[in-house]
Amino acid sequence: MNKTDIRSKKDCKNICLVTESTENIAVLSLAQSLSKLNCKVEVIAFNNSKNNLQIDDFSFNIHIVETKKIKPPIKKIKRVMKYLQSVQNAKPLQNKITEIGVDFDLIVSNMYLANITCRKLNIPNTHYCIHSVISSVIANYYNNETGLFKFIQKILYKFLVKKLYNNQKIITVSEGVKKDLIKLGIQPKTIQTIYNPLDFKDIKKQSNEYLIEEKDYIVHVGRFSKEKRHDVLINAYKQSGIKKNLLLLGDNNNEVGRQIKQLVESLGLQNQVIFKGWISNPFPYIKNADILVLSSDHEGFGMVLAEALILGTPIISTNCVGSSEILCHELKPFLSPVGDVGALAKNIKTMIDNPIKITDKYIDRFSAEKSAKQYLDLCS
């Protein structure tokens, strides 16, 4: 898809990043950052979502693995079929690696399904990067199931996760994800936390790509899914009593989106809560917001919080895994208990009335170069 820069072979490391989809911005940002450190980077993805790409002037290659989709006969075994599909993807992935024809100094697999595929190949010096809180994923996956079927699925999922990650080299995107992994009883060969890389320069550049009409608003950026807890956000916004509009950025054309729209109407907030839909580049909205709010039950790494800090936007959040590591110094009191509408409402009002000036001390930990160097140290 893109041509790599011509580099001298001296000190040039060959690195392969495997991911479920090209929409994984964290992986693409890492690839770009590693390229700047004189690495030859190949990204391999099982799905292509080119419209979601946000990084300009790639200096690495992107390869798409062509796979056949397995349609589950019934919805209840959808996750089982995805697992089997991931196992079957091992051969196409091996073929793609052979086609690239490079002896990689490091392979980093990202996300659960891609990790299943890479584990099947068992290539030396493969590290498995975990981006989510596994215990919360298990709870959410089977929240709507009942009885014996729910119990069996949970036990099976935990068994498969332990089998997947035991005695492997693990990377987690936050200390919270790391602690959760250990708590589940997983015993990795090695484990360390490396934050998702954030290209400060690129984020700031994108924040100036277009002008927005809205002024005096607070913003939430994220897909409409249960764990994002838009219901908590809407109720907290109502309770805060602030006059600024609330902008919701994210695809709302699903069941959760419909439920939240009904909640907004029931609270009489139709003229104050604005559904902006999915926006490929949300940074101008983040930059110009008075505050950014995150209301999730859990996050592997609250990337949107770090992005807001880079753009100088004050943030408040629920005290979930990932977020608690981002809100530090004077921002720490703006962590509210998960699901606590009253506490979140109070923090919204307090930050609006007395906003905190954001400086570099909040973001230095998240630089792309720092994360890339940590990955480079893993090369064989």
Side-chain angles (χ1 to χ4, degrees), residues 246-264:
L246 168 61
L247 271 55
L248 303 178
L249 276 61
D251 186 0
N252 53 69
N253 292 316
N254 57 22
E255 182 58 32
V256 173
R258 287 187 286 273
Q259 292 172 358
I260 298 305
K261 288 175 182 177
Q262 290 173 1
L263 175 61
V264 168

Side-chain angles (χ1 to χ4, degrees), residues 54-56 202-212 280-284 287:
Q54 294 296 309
I55 304 175
D56 297 327
D202 185 68
I203 289 171
K204 291 177 180 179
K205 176 185 175 184
Q206 290 188 57
S207 73
N208 294 314
E209 283 188 352
Y210 60 89
L211 299 176
I212 62 173
S280 60
N281 174 12
F283 295 124
K287 177 184 177 181

Side-chain angles (χ1 to χ4, degrees), residues 139-307:
N140 286 344
Y141 267 3
Y142 306 110
N143 188 47
N144 295 325
E145 305 290 355
T146 57
L148 183 61
F149 186 74
K150 176 179 180 179
F151 176 78
I152 292 173
Q153 283 199 100
K154 280 191 172 184
I155 294 297
L156 178 60
Y157 191 98
K158 287 182 180 179
F159 170 77
L160 292 174
V161 166
K162 286 184 177 181
K163 183 179 178 182
L164 176 62
Y165 296 128
N166 275 342
N167 200 35
Q168 301 304 309
K169 298 175 181 178
I170 303 297
I171 299 167
T172 59
V173 297
S174 71
E175 284 294 321
V177 172
K178 178 181 175 180
K179 291 176 182 177
D180 178 72
L181 201 69
I182 300 301
K183 191 175 180 179
L184 281 172
I186 295 170
Q187 299 178 330
K189 185 175 183 178
T190 63
I191 185 168
Q192 64 178 300
T193 295
I194 304 178
Y195 289 127
N196 283 331
L198 292 164
D199 189 327
F200 294 5
K201 183 178 179 181
D202 185 68
I203 289 171
K204 291 177 180 179
K205 176 185 175 184
Q206 290 188 57
S207 73
N208 294 314
E209 283 188 352
Y210 60 89
L211 299 176
I212 62 173
E213 297 179 356
E214 291 87 352
K215 295 181 179 179
D216 298 323
Y217 62 88
I218 68 175
V219 68
H220 177 278
V221 181
R223 66 186 183 279
F224 279 70
S225 57
K226 290 183 178 179
E227 70 272 14
K228 296 297 183 181
R229 296 307 302 269
H230 286 81
D231 59 325
V232 171
L233 173 62
I234 299 302
N235 283 298
Y237 170 72
K238 173 72 173 180
Q239 192 171 317
S240 73
I242 66 171
K243 302 303 180 183
K244 299 176 185 293
N245 286 344
L246 168 61
L247 271 55
L248 303 178
L249 276 61
D251 186 0
N252 53 69
N253 292 316
N254 57 22
E255 182 58 32
V256 173
R258 287 187 286 273
Q259 292 172 358
I260 298 305
K261 288 175 182 177
Q262 290 173 1
L263 175 61
V264 168
E265 290 181 10
S266 70
L267 295 174
L269 297 172
Q270 301 95 313
N271 295 325
Q272 296 165 264
V273 177
I274 313 300
F275 292 83
K276 298 296 294 184
W278 181 82
I279 297 175
S280 60
N281 174 12
F283 295 124
Y285 283 95
I286 296 174
K287 177 184 177 181
N288 291 285
D290 291 305
I291 59 173
L292 180 139
V293 186
L294 190 144
S295 50
S296 302
D297 281 344
H298 63 88
E299 294 280 341
F301 175 79
M303 183 174 286
V304 71
L305 295 175
E307 290 169 338

Side-chain angles (χ1 to χ4, degrees), residues 12-16 97 100-107 380:
C12 179
K13 297 294 185 180
N14 293 308
I15 299 177
C16 178
I97 291 174
I100 294 171
V102 172
D103 291 327
F104 291 110
D105 300 293
L106 172 67
I107 294 178
S380 57

